[in-house]
C-alpha cells in the first residue's frame, strides 16, 4: 500500500471513530437521564424493600417458633404439677375417711391459692347420699358427671370440658385409684391461666394462642392465621392438650420504620456509589478513546501535511520549471547573439528573460504569502469600502474584456472584523478568477456579480459568474496549492484566499448554482462595540 493509501485508510478509521463516538455518547446520555436514574433508583428501593420484608417475615416466623417452644415447655411443666396435686389430694382424702375433711379442704385451698389456674377442687363420694366436699358449691349435674367418670375410670385421669365454663377443663381421678374407689376427685383448670404469663411476646398484636382437649374440644377459641402456625401436644401423659399458636404479619411488621429507613439509606448509598463508579469508569474509557483518537488525528494531520508538502513541492517544481527553462534558453540565445555581434537582437531576448524571472519571483512571493503566519486581526471595517476598491481596480479590465461587472451592496455600513487589505485581496482574487473563466467563453457577453448581504451573526458576499463553472474532478482539490487548469496559472490564488478568510474567522466555499460558478465568503459580523467610527 502506498503512503497516500495508508493516509486514506487512517482518515477513514478516524471518520468511523468520530461517527461511533456520538452514538456511544447518546447511549450514555440515555442512561444518565434523570427520569431513568429515578426509575432505576426506585426499582432498587423496591428490591431492597422486598428483601427487608422477606428478612423481617423470616425473623418473625423464627421468633414465633422459638416463643412457642418455650410456651409449650412451660405449659407441659404446669400440667405435670396437676398429676402431683391429684395424687396428694387423693392421699389426704383416703386418710381422712370416716372423719371430717378439714385437712383436705385446707390442702385444696392452699393449692388454689398458690396455683391460680386451679380454681376448683371437689371431692365427690360415689355414694350419692354422702356429702360432697370442695372449694365451692357443686351442682348436682356436675357431681353426677364426676361420679360417672370415676366409676368408668381404668386408673387413668379423665379430661372433660367444664360443664359451666367454656375456657375451663376438669381432671377427674378415682380415689383411691382401685376398683374399690369411694370418691371421684376433680380439679377445675383455667386454660387461659395455664398458658398465661408466657412472656411479653404473647401480648403483642396479631399473636394468637389456642388450646384444645385431645378430643378436639377448643378451650380457647382464637382465630389463627393459616400461613404461620405452630401446633404441638403438651408433653404430658395425662393431659396431652393441643397447643396451637399463630401470628398475623402485616405491612407494619414487615416494614418497621427504623429498619426500613436504614435499608433505604443503605440502598441509596450503594446506588450512588455504584453510579459514581460507573460514571468514573465511563469517563476513563472515554478519556482512553479520546487519547487514542487524538493520537490517530495527530498521525492523520502529519500525513496530511506531508501529502500537502509533496503536492506543493511538485506544483512549485512544475510552475518554476517553465520560467527557469525559458530563462536558460534565452540566456544561451543571448550569448550566441552576443558572440555573433547581433547587439540589436539582444534587447528583446533580455526583456523576455527579465519577464520570466519576474514570473518566477511572483510565484515564490505568492507561496510565501500563503505560508507566512500573520497576527490575528482585531479591527472592524466597512466591507463596502473594500469591495468599492476592487470595483475601481477591475472595472477597466471588465470593460476592455466585454464583461459586465456588477457590485450589489447595501446602503448602510456592513461591519466585519479583519484586515481590510487581506479581505480586499480575497475579493480581487475571486473576481479575477471569474474574468479568466469567462475569457474562454464565446457568444453571450460575460457577467460577474458581487452581492453583499447581512445575516444574524455573519456577513456574506458572493462572487458569481455565468462562465463554464468548475468541473467535478477539480472541486475536491479546489483550494489545494498549485492546483489549476488554467495555462500559466500558479494555483495559489484560491489557496491564499482560503487562508486569509480563515485567518479572519470566516469560511470560503464553492456553492451550487444553475449556471457558472459562485464562490461564497462568510465573515463574522462585528459587534456593536467594534463598529468602525
Amino acid at each position: 500500500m502506498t503512503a497516500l493509501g495508508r493516509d486514506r485508510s487512517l482518515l477513514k478509521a478516524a471518520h468511523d471513530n468520530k461517527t461511533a463516538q456520538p452514538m456511544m455518547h447518546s447511549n450514555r446520555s440515555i442512561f444518565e437521564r434523570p427520569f431513568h436514574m429515578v426509575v432505576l433508583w426506585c426499582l432498587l428501593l423496591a428490591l431492597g424493600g422486598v428483601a427487608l420484608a422477606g428478612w423481617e417475615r423470616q425473623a418473625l416466623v423464627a421468633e414465633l417458633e422459638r416463643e412457642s417452644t418455650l410456651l409449650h415447655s412451660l405449659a407441659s411443666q404446669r400440667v405435670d404439677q396437676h398429676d402431683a396435686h391429684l395424687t396428694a389430694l387423693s392421699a389426704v382424702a383416703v386418710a381422712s375417711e370416716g372423719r371430717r375433711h378439714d385437712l383436705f379442704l385446707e390442702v385444696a385451698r392452699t393449692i388454689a391459692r398458690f396455683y391460680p389456674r386451679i380454681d376448683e377442687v371437689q371431692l365427690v363420694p360415689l355414694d350419692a347420699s354422702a356429702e360432697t366436699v370442695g372449694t365451692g358449691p357443686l351442682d348436682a349435674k356436675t357431681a353426677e358427671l364426676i361420679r360417672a367418670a370415676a366409676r368408668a375410670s381404668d386408673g387413668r385421669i379423665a379430661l372433660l370440658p367444664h360443664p359451666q365454663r367454656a375456657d375451663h377443663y376438669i381432671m377427674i381421678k378415682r380415689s383411691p385409684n382401685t376398683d374399690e374407689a369411694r370418691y371421684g376427685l376433680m380439679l377445675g383448670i383455667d386454660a387461659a391461666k395455664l398458658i398465661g404469663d408466657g412472656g411479653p411476646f404473647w401480648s403483642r398484636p396479631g399473636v394468637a394462642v389456642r388450646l384444645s382437649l385431645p378430643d378436639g374440644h377448643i378451650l380457647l377459641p382464637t382465630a389463627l392465621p393459616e400461613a404461620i402456625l405452630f401446633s404441638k401436644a403438651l408433653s404430658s401423659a395425662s393431659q396431652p392438650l393441643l397447643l396451637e399458636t399463630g401470628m398475623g404479619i402485616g405491612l407494619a411488621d414487615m416494614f418497621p420504620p427504623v429498619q426500613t429507613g436504614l435499608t433505604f439509606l443503605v440502598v441509596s448509598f450503594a446506588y450512588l456509589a455504584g453510579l459514581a463508579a460507573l460514571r468514573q469508569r465511563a469517563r476513563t474509557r472515554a478519556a482512553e478513546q479520546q487519547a487514542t483518537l487524538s493520537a490517530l488525528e495527530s498521525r492523520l494531520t502529519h500525513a496530511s501535511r506531508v501529502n500537502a508538502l509533496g503536492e506543493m513541492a511538485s506544483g512549485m517544481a512544475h510552475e518554476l520549471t517553465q520560467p527557469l527553462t525559458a530563462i536558460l534558453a534565452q540566456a544561451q540565445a543571448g550569448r550566441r547573439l552576443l558572440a555573433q555581434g547581433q547587439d540589436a537582437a539582444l534587447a528583446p531576448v533580455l526583456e523576455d528573460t527579465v519577464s520570466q524571472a519576474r514570473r518566477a519571483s511572483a510565484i515564490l512571493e505568492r507561496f510565501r504569502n500563503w505560508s507566512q503566519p500573520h497576527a490575528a486581526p482585531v479591527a472592524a471595517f466597512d466591507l463596502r469600502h473594500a469591495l468599492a476598491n476592487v470595483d475601481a481596480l477591475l472595472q477597466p479590465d471588465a470593460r476592455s474584456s466585454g464583461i459586465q461587472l456588477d457590485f450589489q451592496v447595501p446602503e448602510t455600513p456592513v461591519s466585519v472584523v479583519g484586515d481590510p487589505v487581506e479581505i480586499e485581496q480575497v475579493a480581487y482574487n475571486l473576481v479575477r478568477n471569474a474574468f479568466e473563466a469567462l475569457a474562454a467563453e464565446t457568444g453571450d457577453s460575460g457577467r460577474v456579480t458581487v452581492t453583499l448581504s447581512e445575516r444574524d451573526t455573519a456577513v456574506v458576499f458572493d462572487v458569481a459568474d455565468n462562465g463554464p463553472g468548475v468541473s467535478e474532478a477539480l472541486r475536491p482539490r479546489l483550494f489545494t496549492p498549485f492546483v489549476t487548469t488554467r495555462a500559466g496559472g500558479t494555483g495559489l490564488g484560491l489557496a491564499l484566499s482560503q487562508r486569509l478568510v480563515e485567518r479572519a474567522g470566516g469560511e470560503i466555499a464553492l456553492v451550487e448554482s444553475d449556471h457558472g460558478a459562485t464562490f461564497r465568503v462568510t465573515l463574522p459580523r462585528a459587534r456593536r462595540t467594534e463598529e468602525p467610527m
Side-chain angles (χ1 to χ4, degrees):
M1 181 182 294
T2 63
L4 181 58
R6 287 194 299 269
D7 295 338
R8 290 177 176 173
S9 299
L10 291 174
L11 182 60
K12 184 179 185 300
H15 175 74
D16 293 341
N17 285 339
K18 289 182 179 179
T19 303
Q21 193 174 19
M23 295 176 62
M24 292 186 292
H25 175 74
S26 176
N27 291 335
R28 289 196 300 271
S29 63
I30 291 175
F31 176 75
E32 294 177 354
R33 288 177 182 172
F35 174 75
H36 291 80
M37 293 172 63
V38 171
V39 170
L40 179 59
W41 178 58
C42 292
L43 178 60
L44 292 178
L45 288 181
L47 292 177
V50 171
L52 174 64
W55 175 270
E56 290 294 331
R57 187 180 188 281
Q58 185 63 30
L60 290 174
V61 171
E63 186 179 10
L64 174 65
E65 185 78 19
R66 182 173 60 254
E67 293 292 337
S68 298
T69 302
L70 293 176
L71 181 61
H72 178 272
S73 177
L74 177 62
S76 297
Q77 292 175 4
R78 287 175 176 176
V79 296
D80 286 341
Q81 295 172 351
H82 300 163
D83 294 342
H85 296 329
L86 282 175
T87 300
L89 289 170
S90 178
V92 173
V94 172
S96 302
E97 184 178 4
R99 299 185 299 275
R100 294 179 60 182
H101 292 284
D102 295 341
L103 180 60
F104 176 84
L105 288 175
E106 182 179 353
V107 173
R109 292 189 180 100
T110 301
I111 291 175
R113 184 168 60 252
F114 284 100
Y115 300 94
R117 63 183 178 275
I118 304 176
D119 56 6
E120 185 178 5
V121 179
Q122 299 289 344
L123 183 63
V124 179
L126 297 183
D127 183 1
S129 60
E131 182 183 4
T132 299
V133 179
T135 57
L138 184 67
D139 63 281
K141 184 178 180 179
T142 304
E144 189 58 36
L145 177 65
I146 295 173
R147 291 189 185 98
R151 292 189 185 102
S153 174
D154 58 357
R156 290 178 294 183
I157 297 174
L159 294 179
L160 297 173
H162 198 289
Q164 281 80 35
R165 303 177 187 177
D167 56 349
H168 284 58
Y169 70 96
I170 59 176
M171 300 175 62
I172 302 174
K173 181 179 181 179
R174 67 185 181 181
S175 178
N177 194 13
T178 63
D179 293 339
E180 290 78 20
R182 294 181 294 277
Y183 300 99
L185 184 60
M186 185 269 281
L187 293 182
I189 311 298
D190 186 343
K193 293 182 180 180
L194 175 64
I195 60 176
D197 301 328
F201 175 80
W202 302 106
S203 61
R204 287 166 52 174
V207 178
V209 182
R210 185 166 64 189
L211 196 63
S212 305
L213 291 175
D215 61 359
H217 178 79
I218 299 176
L219 299 172
L220 300 176
T222 305
L224 296 176
E226 297 180 358
I228 304 174
L229 187 64
F230 174 89
S231 179
K232 189 175 182 181
L234 299 183
S235 303
S236 172
S238 62
Q239 302 164 77
L241 306 179
L242 180 63
L243 177 66
E244 297 175 288
T245 63
M247 175 186 293
I249 299 180
L251 292 178
D253 299 313
M254 292 188 293
F255 296 99
V258 176
Q259 290 85 337
T260 302
L262 289 176
T263 299
F264 285 175
L265 286 177
V266 171
V267 170
S268 299
F269 177 78
Y271 170 70
L272 293 176
L275 185 61
L278 290 176
R279 285 181 172 176
Q280 182 61 34
R281 182 179 179 184
R283 292 191 192 99
T284 302
R285 294 181 61 183
E288 292 175 352
Q289 293 176 354
Q290 185 61 38
T292 302
L293 185 59
S294 297
L296 182 59
E297 288 179 346
S298 298
R299 294 174 59 188
L300 287 172
T301 302
H302 176 71
S304 299
R305 290 175 179 173
V306 171
N307 288 337
L309 182 61
E311 292 179 0
M312 287 187 292
S314 177
M316 182 180 294
H318 174 73
E319 293 297 328
L320 290 178
T321 296
Q322 295 179 0
L324 291 178
T325 301
I327 291 173
L328 177 60
Q330 289 160 359
Q332 292 174 344
R335 186 173 59 184
R336 288 196 299 270
L337 292 175
L338 185 61
Q340 296 172 2
Q342 300 180 14
D343 296 341
L346 188 59
V349 174
L350 294 178
E351 184 65 28
D352 197 10
T353 302
V354 171
S355 175
Q356 293 297 330
R358 287 176 177 173
R359 180 185 177 192
S361 176
I363 293 174
L364 293 174
E365 179 64 20
R366 299 191 73 177
F367 177 74
R368 185 184 67 83
N369 290 336
W370 180 85
S371 60
Q372 183 179 3
H374 291 269
V378 294
F381 67 96
D382 189 351
L383 185 56
R384 297 181 307 161
H385 299 333
L387 296 181
N389 293 335
V390 175
D391 187 12
L393 288 172
L394 294 179
Q395 199 63 247
D397 292 344
R399 286 193 295 267
S400 62
S401 302
I403 297 174
Q404 181 181 352
L405 179 58
D406 183 17
F407 280 78
Q408 300 176 1
V409 298
E411 296 181 358
T412 57
V414 180
S415 299
V416 295
V417 177
D419 186 337
V421 176
E422 291 185 351
I423 302 303
E424 182 179 324
Q425 184 177 0
V426 171
Y428 181 88
N429 289 342
L430 295 177
V431 175
R432 287 297 306 175
N433 284 349
F435 284 180
E436 292 167 357
L438 293 172
E441 286 291 288
T442 58
D444 296 339
S445 62
R447 181 172 53 243
V448 178
T449 304
V450 180
T451 306
L452 177 62
S453 61
E454 292 184 277
R455 298 181 180 177
D456 293 338
T457 60
V459 173
V460 176
F461 73 86
D462 294 339
V463 178
D465 63 67
N466 60 346
V470 180
S471 64
E472 292 292 336
L474 186 61
R475 291 187 180 190
R477 300 182 299 122
L478 194 59
F479 296 97
T480 302
F482 301 109
V483 173
T484 181
T485 57
R486 180 169 49 85
T490 62
L492 287 174
L494 288 178
L496 177 60
S497 297
Q498 183 186 48
R499 182 175 178 83
L500 297 179
V501 171
E502 290 179 350
R503 185 182 299 164
E507 296 179 351
I508 182 173
L510 175 68
V511 298
E512 295 294 333
S513 58
D514 296 335
H515 302 286
T518 300
F519 285 87
R520 174 166 296 170
V521 177
T522 305
L523 296 171
R525 187 174 182 178
R527 297 189 297 270
R528 291 186 178 274
T529 56
E530 298 174 341
E531 293 288 342
M533 300 300 292

